[in-house]
Amino acid sequence: DADVTQTPRNRITKTGKRIMLECSQTKGHDRMYWYRQDPGLGLRLIYYSFDVKDINKGEISDGYSVSRQAQAKFSLSLESAIPNQTALYFCATSDPAGTEDQPQHFGDGTRLSIL
Amino acid sequence: DQQVKQNSPSLSVQEGRISILNCDYTNSMFDYFLWYKKYPAEGPTFLISISSIKDKNEDGRFTVFLNKSAKHLSLHIVPSQPGDSAVYFCAASVLGAGSYQLTFGKGTKLSVIP
């Protein structure tokens, strides 16, 4: 079983719809992250969370919200989806120590298309 | 403004030869650098990292070199194998900031030709 699981893997929806992407992990890590990747671009950070009570905005948080329901679960919501939010979304986790030996571990991504 | 740059979108190398992937950065606060490998339909997988106190780190066929004065790092893969064909992302962070946020380059697609 994957350590970082994202659901759904693919989603097609319409402009204006509310979308929730879910991430769960079995690694026991405190830190969780949401990134998006656009074609030909690197990953950009949307939100990150150090623990259940700590949520922080990343580089591109506008139009998104998150919820950390438990240590193992971190959800990303698009309240009113728009076409330029079409992208590949990745969830990641890391150990709180943040040492050289504890890099971020990624899920396999959710491909989201907004028509 | 891109803080981490991978100026080569693609690279082709013969099997058995050396692959060299390059990465430049502009933010002098970056003190920790990582390389990730990504296959299609999968998430990025951590490959190797280096902190700014070192100039070289090796792990099997993979070696990362860091030149702080030039704000440049490179990943060497020797010998290259067909299974190494993937997109490679360079990433950087400021460990001292405590957030462990990663800034990624756009990636280089490596093709290893049998």
Side-chain angles (χ1 to χ4, degrees), chain A residues 9 42 45 98 100 103-104 107-108, chain B residues 32 36 41 43 51 95 98 100-101 105:
Chain A
R9 291 295 314 276
L45 183 64
E100 286 188 41
Q104 292 183 23
D108 284 338
Chain B
Y32 184 45
Y36 281 83
S51 80
L95 271 188
Y100 198 42
Q101 293 186 61

Side-chain angles (χ1 to χ4, degrees), chain A:
Chain A
D1 287 342
D3 294 323
V4 182
T5 303
Q6 293 184 233
T7 55
R9 291 295 314 276
N10 293 280
R11 180 77 184 268
I12 301 173
T13 191
K14 295 181 178 180
T15 298
K17 294 290 188 181
R18 184 179 187 275
I19 306 297
M20 180 180 285
L21 308 184
E22 300 190 357
C23 178
S24 63
Q25 53 117 345
T26 57
K27 299 187 75 66
H29 289 169
D30 285 337
R31 296 184 178 185
M32 297 187 74
Y33 308 78
W34 275 105
Y35 291 88
R36 70 176 274 177
Q37 184 190 12
D38 295 279
L41 298 180
L43 283 72
R44 291 181 293 167
L45 183 64
I46 305 172
Y47 270 95
Y48 62 101
S49 169
F50 286 175
D51 62 37
V52 175
K53 297 180 181 179
D54 184 85
I55 303 289
N56 304 278
K57 292 183 178 180
E59 178 187 355
I60 52 165
S61 60
D62 287 348
Y64 300 95
S65 62
V66 291
S67 173
R68 186 81 184 266
Q69 302 94 324
Q71 187 210 33
K73 296 184 183 296
F74 192 34
S75 301
L76 176 72
S77 294
L78 289 67
E79 296 301 325
S80 180
I82 55 177
N84 75 2
Q85 291 177 312
T86 293
L88 190 53
Y89 290 83
F90 289 103
C91 174
T93 74
S94 70
D95 184 273
T99 68
E100 286 188 41
D101 295 328
Q102 301 294 338
Q104 292 183 23
H105 299 266
F106 287 81
D108 284 338
T110 294
R111 185 169 297 279
L112 179 62
S113 297
I114 300 165
L115 307 178

Side-chain angles (χ1 to χ4, degrees), chain B residues 83-98:
Chain B
D84 295 329
S85 296
V87 177
Y88 289 78
F89 290 100
C90 172
S93 73
V94 181
L95 271 188

